[in-house]
């Protein structure tokens, strides 16, 4: 046996270890190193209001800039970061970066811009979550109402009682909450009624075949109607075409996010988009 130290745990390489395990271990070690070397960056995707055509917020999306492999998307490393606990320091870094950047945009005159940050279930259940978030807001001097935390519907529904308590604390502190990937989890409508959230983000899978697939149109219409009755705002994710956007607008969806308006961009590339929207005579969307 050959042991190799990686952080506080020892991992053993065995001859019979399969390729998948070796690859995973390699990824874990690289992830740990990337965190120490600050190889992460955030891209921001605009969220557009249907009514005004303006960018009301941005979603922060983490990327790993690996010196050898280039840009690595979160789908590749977030699950492992969650399993290993590395999501806690990484998530804290993401939150701090996103808040600091948004404060900078405010100082550049885009005073109403909100930022949405994804929280994994592991972060959601960390004991000092509220304190950590509040400390970052104070340090970056961003008002809590400009921060929205995104939690997936499935993460929240795994333990609704606890979720309601944690979400209430965050909302009492002035932070906004969004239910991400809505519609694919197993949400009991009874809980949705009780959940202290501000908006739902309809999962991309329901948008993809709109408006051709009439079942998807019906589902999205039902979600929008229900959400509005519960006084929640609705954002559609993954909007790629004009036809999808038009259908969502006529259904009464409040906001959208997707390649049809913009891909996630570097912070510097957001400013022209923000300016374009500010000077838009009317509905740009
Ligand atoms: P999500 O929160 O549902 O984010 C939306 C994903 O859809 C992003 O993928 C975004 O780039 C992509 N997207 C946006 N518009 C379109 C479109 O029009 N078409 C298509 N096909 N895709 C679109 P990304 O950046 O690869 O992130 C994937 C997931 O990784 C996110 O899903 C989120 O669950 C997770 N994630 C990203 N950043 C973080 C983070 O900082 N912390 C945590 N815990 N999770 C994160
Ligand atoms: Mg999200
Ligand atoms: Mg989503
Ligand atoms: Mg998603």
């Amino acid at each position: 046996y050959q042991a190799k130290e990686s952080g506080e745990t020892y991992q053993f390489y065995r001859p019979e270890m399969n390729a998948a395990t070796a690859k995973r271990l390699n990824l874990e070690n690289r992830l740990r190193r990337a965190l120490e070397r600050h190889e992460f960056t955030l891209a921001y995707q605009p969220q557009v209001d249907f009514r005004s055509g303006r960018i009301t917020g941005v979603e922060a999306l983490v990327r790993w800039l690996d010196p050898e492999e280039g840009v690595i998307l979160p789908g590749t490393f977030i699950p492992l970061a969650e399993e290993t606990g590395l999501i806690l320091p990484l998530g804290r870094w993401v939150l701090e970066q996103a808040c600091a950047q948004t404060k900078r945009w405010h100082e550049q005159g885009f005073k109403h811009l909100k930022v949405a940050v994804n929280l994994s279930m592991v972060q959601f259940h960390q004991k000092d979550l509220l304190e950590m978030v509040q400390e970052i807001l104070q340090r970056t001097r961003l008002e809590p109402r400009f921060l929205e935390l995104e939690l997936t519907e499935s993460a929240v529904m795994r333990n609704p009682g606890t979720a309601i308590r944690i979400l209430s604390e965050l909302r009492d502190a002035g932070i906004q909450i969004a239910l991400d990937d809505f519609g694919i989890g197993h949400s009991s409508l009874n809980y949705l009624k009780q959940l202290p959230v501000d908006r739902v983000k309809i999962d991309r899978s329901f948008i993809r075949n709109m408006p051709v697939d009439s079942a998807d149109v019906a589902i999205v219409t039902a979600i929008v109607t229900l959400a509005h009755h519960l006084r929640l705002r609705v954002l559609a994710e993954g909007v790629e075409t004009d036809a999808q956007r038009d259908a969502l607008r006529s259904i009464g969806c409040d906001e959208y996010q997707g390649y049809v308006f913009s891909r996630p961009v570097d912070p510097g590339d957001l400013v022209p988009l923000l300016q374009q929207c500010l000077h838009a005579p009317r509905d740009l969307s």
Side-chain angles (χ1 to χ4, degrees):
Y1 288 81
Q2 195 191 352
K4 183 176 182 287
E5 193 177 0
S6 76
E8 58 273 28
T9 56
Y10 282 88
Q11 290 154 339
F12 296 91
Y13 293 101
R14 293 192 300 272
E16 70 271 25
M17 191 167 75
N18 62 42
T21 315
K23 203 175 155 204
R24 205 190 107 106
L25 199 50
N26 175 40
L27 181 65
E28 183 183 336
N29 289 331
R30 280 169 49 215
L31 200 54
R32 225 177 268 282
R33 214 176 328 132
L35 206 54
E36 288 161 10
R37 295 183 184 173
H38 310 286
E39 289 174 358
F40 293 97
T41 182
L42 296 183
Y44 295 88
Q45 188 177 37
Q47 302 180 325
V48 185
D49 180 56
F50 270 114
R51 210 165 289 173
S52 66
R54 295 209 168 157
I55 297 175
T56 50
V58 288
E59 179 175 8
L61 295 157
V62 70
R63 272 92 184 89
W64 172 8
L65 298 181
D66 185 80
E68 275 145 47
E69 294 192 24
V71 180
I72 305 179
L73 292 174
T76 315
F77 61 88
I78 290 283
L80 191 62
E82 287 174 339
E83 279 175 51
T84 54
L86 287 172
I87 192 70
L88 293 180
L90 176 59
R92 203 181 308 123
W93 180 87
V94 167
L95 195 61
E96 173 131 23
Q97 285 297 306
C99 291
Q101 178 59 64
T102 305
K103 182 67 186 180
R104 260 175 256 138
W105 281 318
H106 285 190
E107 288 166 352
Q108 289 170 42
F110 308 107
K111 293 189 170 58
H112 303 289
L113 194 70
K114 291 189 299 171
V115 67
V117 175
N118 293 284
L119 272 199
S120 86
M121 193 160 65
V122 180
Q123 291 174 276
F124 186 57
H125 289 288
Q126 79 186 96
K127 246 177 62 201
D128 60 348
L129 175 66
L130 178 65
E131 289 74 12
M132 191 264 286
V133 176
Q134 283 182 313
E135 198 206 309
I136 288 176
L137 287 169
Q138 276 159 20
R139 205 162 47 230
T140 57
R141 296 178 298 112
L142 184 73
E143 278 178 60
R145 65 192 168 109
F146 294 114
L147 174 64
E148 180 171 78
L149 296 177
E150 292 192 4
L151 283 146
T152 62
E153 181 194 8
S154 24
V156 166
M157 288 304 164
R158 197 153 308 181
N159 190 343
T162 310
I164 289 172
R165 184 179 53 73
I166 301 172
L167 293 176
S168 302
E169 287 176 7
L170 290 165
R171 269 182 109 220
D172 288 346
I175 297 154
Q176 310 242 356
I177 308 290
L179 272 190
D180 203 355
D181 302 349
F182 189 79
I184 58 169
H186 307 275
S187 199
S188 135
L189 297 181
N190 183 42
Y191 277 120
L192 186 59
K193 185 180 78 180
Q194 297 174 43
L195 278 181
V197 300
D198 300 283
R199 70 164 154 185
V200 297
K201 299 186 72 178
I202 304 177
D203 191 70
R204 183 162 87 224
S205 57
F206 298 105
I207 311 301
R208 192 176 301 135
N209 300 317
M210 276 181 76
V212 177
D213 188 326
S214 60
D216 283 336
V217 174
I219 291 168
V220 170
T221 305
I223 294 175
V224 171
T225 307
L226 173 69
H228 284 167
H229 273 110
L230 298 173
R231 297 179 191 289
L232 304 173
R233 283 175 302 124
V234 189
L235 179 143
E237 314 190 279
V239 182
E240 295 183 351
T241 68
D242 285 327
Q244 290 167 347
R245 182 162 57 181
D246 291 344
L248 287 160
R249 184 195 280 112
S250 66
I251 286 169
C253 187
D254 303 295
E255 282 152 309
Y256 72 96
Q257 205 182 319
Y259 296 166
V260 73
F261 184 85
S262 171
R263 289 185 174 256
V265 294
D266 288 336
D269 294 335
L270 189 73
V271 172
L273 291 173
L274 289 167
Q275 280 164 341
Q276 204 180 307
C277 281
L278 274 184
H279 300 136
R282 36 183 294 275
D283 196 348
L284 231 196
S285 59

PDB file of all heavy atoms in Angstrom, residues 59 118 150 152 179-182 201-204 237 257, ligand 3:
ATOM      1  N   GLU A  59     -27.324  35.747 -12.120  1.00  0.00           N
ATOM      2  CA  GLU A  59     -27.003  34.548 -11.354  1.00  0.00           C
ATOM      3  C   GLU A  59     -25.505  34.297 -11.456  1.00  0.00           C
ATOM      4  O   GLU A  59     -24.944  34.309 -12.557  1.00  0.00           O
ATOM      5  CB  GLU A  59     -27.764  33.323 -11.887  1.00  0.00           C
ATOM      6  CG  GLU A  59     -27.403  32.046 -11.106  1.00  0.00           C
ATOM      7  CD  GLU A  59     -28.198  30.813 -11.498  1.00  0.00           C
ATOM      8  OE1 GLU A  59     -28.948  30.869 -12.498  1.00  0.00           O
ATOM      9  OE2 GLU A  59     -28.053  29.785 -10.791  1.00  0.00           O
ATOM     10  N   ASN A 118     -26.094  30.186  -5.930  1.00  0.00           N
ATOM     11  CA  ASN A 118     -26.559  28.817  -5.679  1.00  0.00           C
ATOM     12  C   ASN A 118     -25.985  28.282  -4.377  1.00  0.00           C
ATOM     13  O   ASN A 118     -24.790  28.414  -4.119  1.00  0.00           O
ATOM     14  CB  ASN A 118     -26.124  27.892  -6.818  1.00  0.00           C
ATOM     15  CG  ASN A 118     -26.827  28.227  -8.116  1.00  0.00           C
ATOM     16  OD1 ASN A 118     -27.992  27.904  -8.305  1.00  0.00           O
ATOM     17  ND2 ASN A 118     -26.123  28.928  -8.999  1.00  0.00           N
ATOM     18  N   GLU A 150     -30.271  30.648  -4.025  1.00  0.00           N
ATOM     19  CA  GLU A 150     -31.028  29.656  -4.793  1.00  0.00           C
ATOM     20  C   GLU A 150     -30.822  28.278  -4.191  1.00  0.00           C
ATOM     21  O   GLU A 150     -29.694  27.825  -4.028  1.00  0.00           O
ATOM     22  CB  GLU A 150     -30.547  29.619  -6.253  1.00  0.00           C
ATOM     23  CG  GLU A 150     -30.869  30.866  -7.023  1.00  0.00           C
ATOM     24  CD  GLU A 150     -30.647  30.701  -8.524  1.00  0.00           C
ATOM     25  OE1 GLU A 150     -30.319  29.581  -8.983  1.00  0.00           O
ATOM     26  OE2 GLU A 150     -30.818  31.701  -9.240  1.00  0.00           O
ATOM     27  N   THR A 152     -32.258  24.194  -4.601  1.00  0.00           N
ATOM     28  CA  THR A 152     -33.095  23.378  -5.476  1.00  0.00           C
ATOM     29  C   THR A 152     -34.301  22.886  -4.681  1.00  0.00           C
ATOM     30  O   THR A 152     -34.243  22.692  -3.463  1.00  0.00           O
ATOM     31  CB  THR A 152     -32.348  22.163  -6.063  1.00  0.00           C
ATOM     32  OG1 THR A 152     -31.955  21.323  -4.993  1.00  0.00           O
ATOM     33  CG2 THR A 152     -31.139  22.599  -6.870  1.00  0.00           C
ATOM     34  N   LEU A 179     -36.499  29.089  -5.337  1.00  0.00           N
ATOM     35  CA  LEU A 179     -36.505  27.629  -5.491  1.00  0.00           C
ATOM     36  C   LEU A 179     -36.047  27.327  -6.905  1.00  0.00           C
ATOM     37  O   LEU A 179     -36.739  27.648  -7.871  1.00  0.00           O
ATOM     38  CB  LEU A 179     -37.906  27.067  -5.301  1.00  0.00           C
ATOM     39  CG  LEU A 179     -38.374  26.703  -3.900  1.00  0.00           C
ATOM     40  CD1 LEU A 179     -39.693  25.948  -3.997  1.00  0.00           C
ATOM     41  CD2 LEU A 179     -37.342  25.884  -3.150  1.00  0.00           C
ATOM     42  N   ASP A 180     -34.871  26.707  -7.013  1.00  0.00           N
ATOM     43  CA  ASP A 180     -34.236  26.447  -8.306  1.00  0.00           C
ATOM     44  C   ASP A 180     -34.727  25.112  -8.883  1.00  0.00           C
ATOM     45  O   ASP A 180     -35.176  24.247  -8.135  1.00  0.00           O
ATOM     46  CB  ASP A 180     -32.716  26.383  -8.078  1.00  0.00           C
ATOM     47  CG  ASP A 180     -31.911  26.679  -9.330  1.00  0.00           C
ATOM     48  OD1 ASP A 180     -32.494  26.850 -10.399  1.00  0.00           O
ATOM     49  OD2 ASP A 180     -30.669  26.753  -9.203  1.00  0.00           O
ATOM     50  N   ASP A 181     -34.612  24.973 -10.196  1.00  0.00           N
ATOM     51  CA  ASP A 181     -34.965  23.726 -10.882  1.00  0.00           C
ATOM     52  C   ASP A 181     -36.368  23.271 -10.514  1.00  0.00           C
ATOM     53  O   ASP A 181     -36.622  22.078 -10.332  1.00  0.00           O
ATOM     54  CB  ASP A 181     -33.944  22.616 -10.547  1.00  0.00           C
ATOM     55  CG  ASP A 181     -32.534  23.011 -10.928  1.00  0.00           C
ATOM     56  OD1 ASP A 181     -32.348  24.023 -11.625  1.00  0.00           O
ATOM     57  OD2 ASP A 181     -31.596  22.301 -10.509  1.00  0.00           O
ATOM     58  N   PHE A 182     -37.275  24.225 -10.416  1.00  0.00           N
ATOM     59  CA  PHE A 182     -38.616  23.901  -9.942  1.00  0.00           C
ATOM     60  C   PHE A 182     -39.387  23.063 -10.951  1.00  0.00           C
ATOM     61  O   PHE A 182     -39.348  23.318 -12.150  1.00  0.00           O
ATOM     62  CB  PHE A 182     -39.403  25.183  -9.630  1.00  0.00           C
ATOM     63  CG  PHE A 182     -40.703  24.902  -8.940  1.00  0.00           C
ATOM     64  CD1 PHE A 182     -40.727  24.629  -7.575  1.00  0.00           C
ATOM     65  CD2 PHE A 182     -41.894  24.865  -9.648  1.00  0.00           C
ATOM     66  CE1 PHE A 182     -41.919  24.332  -6.936  1.00  0.00           C
ATOM     67  CE2 PHE A 182     -43.095  24.567  -9.007  1.00  0.00           C
ATOM     68  CZ  PHE A 182     -43.099  24.303  -7.648  1.00  0.00           C
ATOM     69  N   LYS A 201     -37.941  29.176  -9.898  1.00  0.00           N
ATOM     70  CA  LYS A 201     -37.281  29.163 -11.195  1.00  0.00           C
ATOM     71  C   LYS A 201     -37.680  27.872 -11.888  1.00  0.00           C
ATOM     72  O   LYS A 201     -37.286  26.786 -11.462  1.00  0.00           O
ATOM     73  CB  LYS A 201     -35.755  29.215 -11.008  1.00  0.00           C
ATOM     74  CG  LYS A 201     -35.287  30.478 -10.285  1.00  0.00           C
ATOM     75  CD  LYS A 201     -33.762  30.553 -10.255  1.00  0.00           C
ATOM     76  CE  LYS A 201     -33.183  30.860 -11.616  1.00  0.00           C
ATOM     77  NZ  LYS A 201     -31.695  30.992 -11.568  1.00  0.00           N
ATOM     78  N   ILE A 202     -38.453  27.999 -12.941  1.00  0.00           N
ATOM     79  CA  ILE A 202     -38.944  26.808 -13.649  1.00  0.00           C
ATOM     80  C   ILE A 202     -37.794  26.116 -14.359  1.00  0.00           C
ATOM     81  O   ILE A 202     -37.037  26.747 -15.104  1.00  0.00           O
ATOM     82  CB  ILE A 202     -40.040  27.157 -14.673  1.00  0.00           C
ATOM     83  CG1 ILE A 202     -41.186  27.906 -13.994  1.00  0.00           C
ATOM     84  CG2 ILE A 202     -40.548  25.903 -15.375  1.00  0.00           C
ATOM     85  CD1 ILE A 202     -42.270  28.351 -14.963  1.00  0.00           C
ATOM     86  N   ASP A 203     -37.670  24.827 -14.109  1.00  0.00           N
ATOM     87  CA  ASP A 203     -36.551  24.075 -14.675  1.00  0.00           C
ATOM     88  C   ASP A 203     -36.553  24.109 -16.202  1.00  0.00           C
ATOM     89  O   ASP A 203     -37.594  24.058 -16.851  1.00  0.00           O
ATOM     90  CB  ASP A 203     -36.591  22.622 -14.192  1.00  0.00           C
ATOM     91  CG  ASP A 203     -35.304  21.908 -14.534  1.00  0.00           C
ATOM     92  OD1 ASP A 203     -34.274  22.237 -13.929  1.00  0.00           O
ATOM     93  OD2 ASP A 203     -35.313  21.048 -15.454  1.00  0.00           O
ATOM     94  N   ARG A 204     -35.342  24.161 -16.717  1.00  0.00           N
ATOM     95  CA  ARG A 204     -35.096  24.228 -18.158  1.00  0.00           C
ATOM     96  C   ARG A 204     -35.805  23.123 -18.947  1.00  0.00           C
ATOM     97  O   ARG A 204     -36.190  23.318 -20.093  1.00  0.00           O
ATOM     98  CB  ARG A 204     -33.582  24.121 -18.322  1.00  0.00           C
ATOM     99  CG  ARG A 204     -33.075  24.221 -19.670  1.00  0.00           C
ATOM    100  CD  ARG A 204     -31.594  24.532 -19.645  1.00  0.00           C
ATOM    101  NE  ARG A 204     -30.760  23.356 -19.557  1.00  0.00           N
ATOM    102  CZ  ARG A 204     -29.714  23.254 -18.766  1.00  0.00           C
ATOM    103  NH1 ARG A 204     -29.393  24.220 -17.946  1.00  0.00           N
ATOM    104  NH2 ARG A 204     -28.981  22.171 -18.766  1.00  0.00           N
ATOM    105  N   GLU A 237     -35.976  29.339 -16.694  1.00  0.00           N
ATOM    106  CA  GLU A 237     -34.552  29.111 -16.963  1.00  0.00           C
ATOM    107  C   GLU A 237     -34.350  28.499 -18.340  1.00  0.00           C
ATOM    108  O   GLU A 237     -35.208  27.774 -18.832  1.00  0.00           O
ATOM    109  CB  GLU A 237     -33.943  28.058 -16.027  1.00  0.00           C
ATOM    110  CG  GLU A 237     -34.211  28.113 -14.592  1.00  0.00           C
ATOM    111  CD  GLU A 237     -33.312  27.114 -13.866  1.00  0.00           C
ATOM    112  OE1 GLU A 237     -33.607  25.903 -13.809  1.00  0.00           O
ATOM    113  OE2 GLU A 237     -32.300  27.578 -13.345  1.00  0.00           O
ATOM    114  N   GLN A 257     -34.250  33.842 -18.080  1.00  0.00           N
ATOM    115  CA  GLN A 257     -32.804  33.750 -18.099  1.00  0.00           C
ATOM    116  C   GLN A 257     -32.487  32.755 -19.199  1.00  0.00           C
ATOM    117  O   GLN A 257     -33.172  31.746 -19.308  1.00  0.00           O
ATOM    118  CB  GLN A 257     -32.385  33.175 -16.734  1.00  0.00           C
ATOM    119  CG  GLN A 257     -31.035  33.477 -16.219  1.00  0.00           C
ATOM    120  CD  GLN A 257     -30.792  32.786 -14.874  1.00  0.00           C
ATOM    121  OE1 GLN A 257     -31.665  32.745 -14.022  1.00  0.00           O
ATOM    122  NE2 GLN A 257     -29.608  32.264 -14.700  1.00  0.00           N
TER     123      GLN A 257
HETATM  124 MG1  LIG B   3     -31.661  26.072 -12.197  1.00  0.00          MG
END
